Amino acid sequence: MASAVAGSAKCLDTYLGKSGLRVSKLCLGAMTFGENSFQVPGQLQEEGAHQLINRYVEWGGNFIDTANVYGRGASEKIVGSWLRGQERDRFVIATKVRSPMDPTNPNAVGLGRRHIIQSVEESLERLQTNYIDLLQTHAWDDAVPLEETLSTLNDLVRCGKVRYLGASNVTGWQLQKIVEITKQKDLNPFVSLQQQYNLVSRDSELEPFQVCKLNGLGVLPWSPLKGGFLTGKVQRDQPPSEGRLGWSAQDEKRNLQSSPSWSAINKDKNWAVLETLQKIAKAKGKSVAQVSLRWLLQKPVVSSVIIGATKMQQLDDNMAAGNGWELTAEEMKELDEVSKPETPYPYEMVWRVNSTRTNPWNPSPYV
C-alpha cells in the first residue's frame, strides 16, 4: 500500500440512491483518460491512468465513471484494459450514452433504440466486460420519444447487459417525466442523477434535486471543484494559465460548464465563497479542495462525488476528503449562506409561504 494512503481513513461506501448498489463516497471520473473530445490539455494515457486507478483502489474506491464520448471511446478502452486484470465484481463501472460518436453517421447519436443498443455493445467491448453497472443518459434528447428511450434501457436491464440506470444533465421537469413514465409502464426505475453541483453552481437544487429526494435518486456531482477554481489555487484578478481553468481562461469563447471562462468565474460572490473556504480550511488543517468536497459529501441528496485527477497528489488530496472528519453544522451553514444562489419566483414564494407548514408525516423535500 502506498505510503500516502497507509494509516489514512479509507473512502467508505454508501448506497447509490435507494438501490441496493454500494459505491464509494468518492467516484473516480475518467474523462481525463485518453485524448479528450473537448481538446482539454493534460490528459493521461494508459500507463499513467492505470497508476491513478490503482492508487484510487488503495484508498478504498470501487466506483469509476466514464462515457463513450470521452475521447470517442479512448477513456472506456483505458478503463477496460485495467479492468481486464481485476476481479470484476469488486468494481462498479458507470458509462453514458447519447453523444455523437461518428460525425459522418446521422444514426450514431441520440437516445433512440438503434443508437443506444449499438453504443452499449461497443462500450461493453471497450470496457472488456459483459455488463455495465450503471448506464446513464448523457443528456436529454428532443428528437426521440421518451417511451422509446426508456423501453430500450429497460430491455438492456432485463437481458443483463446493464444493472442500473441513471440520468445526467437534465432539468427538473425532464427528470420528473422520466420518473412518471417508468412508473406508469412498470419499467426499471432510474437510481441516480449525475449533475454539475458545487459551491459555485447550485441551480439544480431548485428542481432536479427535489425530484431526486422525493423519488430516492442519488445525486452524483460532477465538476465538484468547478474546473479547479474551488481548490484555492487561483488568485483574484489574475487569470490562471495552467490547468483546466487556465485553458478556458485563455479564450473567452471556451465557456464550458466544467471549464468556465474567466469572466464567468471572476465574480465577487465567487471570491467570497473562496475566502470562506480558505478560512475554514485553515482552521481545520485541511486543503481548500477537501473542504469543497466535504461540503458536497455532507449533503443528504448526494450519494457519491465524482472527482477527476491527472496527478497522484491531486488524487490523494481529494480522497482524503472522503472520511475521518466532518464539517460542523455551523461550517456547513456558513458555506450554504455565502454560496446561496438567488431564489427566483416562484421558488422564493413557494418556500416562504411553506416555511411554517411543517408536518413530520409529510416531510418537505426542499434542500
Side-chain angles (χ1 to χ4, degrees), residues 198-202 229-230 267-280 288 291-292 334-340:
N198 54 59
L199 279 160
V200 172
S201 301
R202 295 178 56 186
F229 177 74
L230 295 173
K267 300 181 184 300
D268 289 343
K269 180 180 178 181
N270 294 340
W271 292 113
V273 170
L274 198 54
E275 288 169 5
T276 304
L277 281 168
Q278 290 168 332
K279 182 187 72 171
I280 293 174
V288 172
V291 176
S292 300
E334 187 174 5
L335 288 169
D336 285 344
E337 289 299 318
V338 74
S339 65
K340 187 177 181 180

Side-chain angles (χ1 to χ4, degrees), residues 72 98-110 114-116 118-119 122:
R72 297 283 191 270
R98 195 265 185 225
S99 301
M101 294 299 290
D102 181 356
T104 67
N105 183 353
N107 286 307
V109 62
R114 172 172 164 170
H115 181 59
I116 290 175
Q118 181 175 350
S119 292
E122 292 172 351

Side-chain angles (χ1 to χ4, degrees), residues 33-34 44-53 74 77-82 84 128:
F33 298 172
L44 284 175
Q45 299 310 312
E46 186 172 72
E47 182 178 357
H50 286 186
Q51 292 173 356
L52 200 77
I53 300 173
K77 286 181 179 179
I78 289 174
V79 172
S81 61
W82 176 86
R84 178 180 56 193
Q128 301 191 47

Side-chain angles (χ1 to χ4, degrees), residues 85 171 175 334:
T171 65
L175 186 58
E334 187 174 5

Side-chain angles (χ1 to χ4, degrees), residues 25-245:
K25 290 181 178 179
L26 290 162
C27 170
L28 183 61
M31 195 173 78
T32 57
F33 298 172
E35 294 300 324
N36 194 279
S37 308
F38 310 109
Q39 289 79 52
V40 178
Q43 297 296 109
L44 284 175
Q45 299 310 312
E46 186 172 72
E47 182 178 357
H50 286 186
Q51 292 173 356
L52 200 77
I53 300 173
N54 288 334
R55 177 65 67 87
Y56 169 74
V57 173
E58 289 176 0
W59 274 101
N62 76 335
F63 190 16
I64 301 173
D65 177 76
T66 184
N68 60 351
V69 75
Y70 296 165
R72 297 283 191 270
S75 175
E76 286 185 329
K77 286 181 179 179
I78 289 174
V79 172
S81 61
W82 176 86
L83 189 62
R84 178 180 56 193
Q86 310 301 317
E87 189 175 344
R88 173 66 180 91
D89 286 347
R90 290 191 175 275
F91 299 98
V92 177
I93 306 299
T95 192
K96 309 178 194 75
V97 59
R98 195 265 185 225
S99 301
M101 294 299 290
D102 181 356
T104 67
N105 183 353
N107 286 307
V109 62
L111 294 176
R113 177 172 289 269
R114 172 172 164 170
H115 181 59
I116 290 175
I117 292 175
Q118 181 175 350
S119 292
V120 166
E121 295 289 355
E122 292 172 351
S123 289
L124 289 169
E125 183 176 353
R126 287 189 289 262
L127 291 167
Q128 301 191 47
T129 183
N130 59 3
Y131 68 93
I132 294 165
D133 293 285
L134 176 65
L135 180 64
Q136 303 154 102
T137 55
H138 213 156
W140 187 260
D141 187 355
D142 277 334
V144 179
L146 186 55
E147 290 82 357
E148 178 180 340
T149 299
L150 297 179
S151 65
T152 304
L153 295 173
N154 190 68
D155 289 345
L156 289 167
V157 173
R158 285 172 60 85
C159 73
K161 292 184 178 181
V162 172
R163 298 292 194 256
Y164 295 94
L165 302 171
S168 182
N169 306 315
V170 293
T171 65
W173 73 262
Q174 290 169 345
L175 186 58
Q176 186 61 44
K177 191 170 183 180
I178 289 171
V179 168
E180 291 305 319
I181 291 180
T182 55
K183 288 181 179 178
Q184 292 169 8
K185 297 188 175 297
D186 196 25
L187 304 176
N188 281 281
F190 281 37
V191 302
S192 63
L193 171 65
Q194 186 174 150
Q195 202 90 332
Q196 181 178 185
Y197 188 33
N198 54 59
L199 279 160
V200 172
S201 301
R202 295 178 56 186
D203 292 339
S204 288
E205 291 178 354
L206 293 174
E207 289 280 351
F209 294 174
Q210 312 307 332
V211 178
C212 289
K213 293 181 78 171
L214 286 169
N215 295 279
L217 280 76
V219 172
L220 304 174
W222 63 263
S223 194
L225 300 176
K226 196 60 178 179
F229 177 74
L230 295 173
T231 64
K233 297 178 181 178
V234 180
Q235 300 298 315
R236 189 165 189 155
D237 300 322
Q238 295 181 26
S241 58
E242 298 180 352
R244 186 180 295 273
L245 195 59

